[in-house]
Amino acid sequence: PVPRCQSNRACQSILVTMTDAVKDAVASSIQEGHFEHIATLLDAAELASANPGVLDDWPHALHMLGHIYDGNLSDARMLWKRIPESAKQNNPELEAVWRLLQFCWNRHYQGIWQALQGFQWSAQLKPLIDAIMLKTRQQLMDLMSSAYATVSPAKVASFCGITEDDAVTACTGQGWTFNALTGMFTVAPKPMSKEHLDGYANLRQIADYMVHLEAD
């Protein structure tokens, strides 16, 4: 199931200095689990604002996480550079998002899981954080299905930030078969969808991702 914000009121509480229409649209996107709309809506609102200090009072962490969810890490980095220094001070949650972005940028997967799971996220951001975890985990499972013939539950657990028991469940759900003698799963190759092909470009780039995975 897609994580959702529990109430429209809770979602609204992190939206400031925006028109009511934008607030409603972003809050509805969070509540309904349409996280792919968040960054687009906030980008448009920022560009449309006539206030030169619009980012002084803004849902910075939400905006950055929206870009991370979409895989637009360059846009997230540019947003970080636009955020006033005063807004970055004494803001542990925004700092936690920045750490997450750095791990994502460097494809440091163990760091990504530490950043995602090691911070006490606010109730407003938690649905988006959960969605990022689900999406990242599925992308990594897809990558492993393209790069490995066999893989251990321990390796899957390490890559995906889950326990070995959960890794067994995830592998079984992918249609992978377990060999009790070797303790390894035989990977069922999964054809890459056009979306994944567009995202990873080609097998050479997949190999590059796997280098980062093995480095972790």
Side-chain angles (χ1 to χ4, degrees):
V2 176
R4 299 185 178 186
C5 195
Q6 295 301 308
S7 70
N8 201 57
R9 182 177 181 181
C11 297
Q12 287 275 17
S13 66
I14 50 175
L15 306 176
V16 290
T17 65
M18 288 181 285
T19 66
D20 288 341
V22 174
K23 290 181 183 180
D24 289 344
V26 174
S28 294
S29 295
I30 298 171
Q31 188 175 12
E32 295 171 7
H34 294 307
F35 302 110
E36 71 278 7
H37 297 160
I38 293 172
T40 300
L41 288 165
L42 292 175
D43 283 347
E46 180 189 349
L47 289 171
S49 176
N51 178 7
V54 61
L55 289 180
D56 291 343
D57 192 16
W58 190 259
H60 309 102
L62 177 68
H63 198 168
M64 286 181 65
L65 286 173
H67 284 306
I68 292 172
Y69 178 84
D70 291 339
N72 296 328
L73 303 185
S74 293
D75 289 342
R77 283 164 61 92
M78 292 302 297
L79 173 59
W80 173 259
K81 292 178 180 180
R82 295 196 305 275
I83 296 173
E85 289 300 320
S86 59
K88 298 175 183 177
Q89 297 174 1
N90 301 315
N91 193 335
E93 193 160 58
L94 182 57
E95 291 175 5
V97 174
W98 171 238
R99 285 195 298 273
L100 171 61
L101 175 59
Q102 292 178 85
F103 285 129
C104 290
W105 184 265
N106 293 310
R107 293 179 231 169
H108 187 308
Y109 292 101
Q110 289 187 0
I112 289 172
W113 295 119
Q114 290 169 5
L116 286 168
Q117 299 171 335
F119 186 81
Q120 190 67 36
W121 301 99
S122 65
Q124 294 91 345
L125 294 187
K126 188 62 165 60
L128 183 48
I129 290 293
D130 289 345
I132 290 171
M133 287 196 287
L134 286 173
K135 187 174 184 180
T136 301
R137 195 164 288 138
Q138 186 58 56
Q139 287 175 338
L140 290 173
M141 293 294 290
D142 290 348
L143 282 169
M144 283 186 281
S145 72
S146 299
Y148 287 106
T150 60
V151 65
S152 69
K155 180 164 287 189
V156 174
S158 176
F159 286 171
C160 295
I162 53 180
T163 66
E164 286 195 35
D165 286 343
D166 287 340
V168 169
T169 300
C171 292
T172 303
Q174 294 285 116
W176 302 357
T177 56
F178 185 69
N179 186 322
L181 293 177
T182 63
M184 304 283 281
F185 274 96
T186 298
V187 175
K190 181 177 181 180
M192 299 290 277
S193 67
K194 184 179 186 302
E195 177 184 357
H196 286 139
L197 287 172
D198 289 343
Y200 302 127
N202 51 41
L203 291 176
R204 184 175 180 179
Q205 192 171 356
I206 291 175
D208 184 48
Y209 271 82
M210 298 316 300
V211 167
H212 285 274
L213 284 173
E214 293 292 350
D216 282 347

